[in-house]
Amino acid sequence: MKASEVARRLATPLTAPAWAPVRSRFTDREYLNIVYRTDPEALRAVVPEPLEFDEPLVRFEVMKMGDSTSFGPYTESGQVIPVRFGEERGEYLHAMYLDNTAATVAGREISAYPKTAGSPRLFAEAGALVGTLDVGTQRVATGTMGYKHYAMDLDEARAELTLPTYMVKIVPGYEREPRVCELVRTQITDITVKAAWTGPARLQLFQHVLAPLADLPVLEVISASHIVTDLTLSGITPVFDYLRER
C-alpha cells in the first residue's frame, strides 16, 4: 500500500476499518431520560473547567437505536450533566456505555464521546419503561418510568435533546503526554421528534469500580421523559485548549 493511499485512510485496520466513513442517520432512536439531584461536591469533582453548573443535577439516559446507518441497532447508556460555558447553557457528557464496538470506536475517534463497553437495555415490562446498564455480569443501574403516562409537548422534548453538548477530546502522544486535550462542542440540529411522554420515575445506581455512576448518588428524582426521534449527529468544534491554558 503506497504512502499516499495510507494518508487517505480514516481509521485502522487499514484494510478493514473499525468504522465506516459515513455520517450516521438514526431512525427510531428511543430515549429514557431520568434527571436527578446529586451531591454538589461529588459533581464539582468531575465537571471540568471552564464548565460550571448552577444546580447539582445529572441525567441518566438509556438510548435504544432502532436503526442507524453503518452501525445497525444497538443500545447506549450514560450520565449527562447540565452545565454552563460562559453564558451558554448546555450539557456535559460525563460517561457513556454501549454494546457496539464500531459505534464505540467511531464515537471516540471521530468525535469526543466518552464511550466504553457496557450492556444497556431498554424495554417495557409490567406497565413500566425499564432501562438497565450492566458491565460484565454486574448490574450498574436500573431506571424505571411509568409507561406513556402523560403526553409530553414535542417542542419541549426537542429542546431537551438539542442543547449544546460539551465533551473532552484527548489524543495521547507517544510518551503518554496528550497531543490534544480540548473541550469541544456539538449540537443536534437535524432532528424529528415522533413522540414523547413523561411520568413518575425511580433510579438505582450500584457501585462498580470501572463504571462509577454511583459516585454521583441519587438524592432526588426530578423528572423523566420517554422520547422517540429520528436524528443525525453533528460534528464537533473545539472551544477551549487545555494544553495552551495550563
Side-chain angles (χ1 to χ4, degrees):
M1 185 181 295
K2 295 183 180 298
S4 58
E5 294 179 27
V6 175
R8 288 197 295 269
R9 302 301 168 102
L10 296 177
T12 57
L14 292 178
T15 58
W19 46 271
V22 297
R23 185 175 292 276
S24 291
R25 177 69 176 173
F26 296 86
T27 304
D28 293 330
R29 180 167 171 157
E30 186 176 9
Y31 289 81
L32 168 62
N33 298 312
I34 300 177
V35 177
Y36 69 92
R37 190 178 306 279
T38 193
D39 175 23
E41 291 305 313
L43 200 60
R44 196 166 286 114
V46 301
V47 173
E49 295 180 340
L51 299 176
E52 300 177 287
F53 64 88
D54 295 324
E55 292 188 79
L57 301 179
V58 181
R59 187 175 84 239
F60 171 74
E61 62 181 14
V62 183
M63 296 172 286
K64 184 177 182 180
M65 319 302 175
D67 183 55
S68 63
T69 307
S70 80
F71 300 134
Y74 66 98
T75 308
E76 186 167 316
S77 181
Q79 287 172 313
V80 183
I81 300 169
V83 294
R84 284 187 295 105
F85 179 62
E87 296 301 315
E88 182 177 67
R89 296 189 179 277
E91 56 188 19
Y92 168 64
L93 289 189
H94 176 52
M96 308 177 82
Y97 303 85
L98 57 159
D99 58 5
N100 183 297
T101 299
T104 303
V105 176
R108 295 175 67 95
E109 291 189 1
I110 301 174
S111 297
Y113 293 96
K115 297 187 177 188
T116 189
S119 299
R121 293 184 63 210
L122 183 62
F123 57 95
E125 181 179 67
L129 183 66
V130 181
T132 63
L133 173 61
D134 294 342
V135 173
T137 62
Q138 302 304 304
R139 177 58 47 89
V140 175
T142 299
T144 55
M145 172 184 164
Y147 188 72
K148 298 185 179 181
H149 275 204
Y150 310 106
M152 184 178 181
D153 180 78
L154 297 187
D155 289 335
E156 181 181 347
R158 185 178 298 104
E160 182 175 316
L161 300 182
T162 56
L163 286 168
T165 299
Y166 298 95
M167 304 168 281
V168 174
K169 174 73 172 182
I170 298 177
V171 178
Y174 298 110
E175 299 298 328
R176 300 191 179 219
E177 286 289 323
R179 298 174 66 187
V180 175
C181 188
E182 297 173 330
L183 183 70
V184 301
R185 178 190 186 278
T186 186
Q187 187 171 16
I188 296 172
T189 56
D190 181 10
I191 183 171
T192 300
V193 177
K194 295 181 170 180
W197 301 269
T198 186
R202 299 290 186 273
L203 176 63
Q204 291 178 287
L205 303 178
F206 304 92
Q207 298 285 353
H208 193 297
V209 65
L210 299 182
L213 279 72
D215 285 3
L216 299 176
V218 180
L219 302 184
E220 178 190 8
V221 171
I222 302 298
S223 64
S225 60
H226 174 199
I227 305 172
V228 181
T229 72
D230 294 343
L231 61 86
T232 304
L233 296 179
S234 302
I236 62 172
T237 303
V239 295
F240 185 85
D241 190 331
Y242 290 98
L243 300 182
R244 290 186 179 182
E245 296 296 329
R246 67 182 177 179

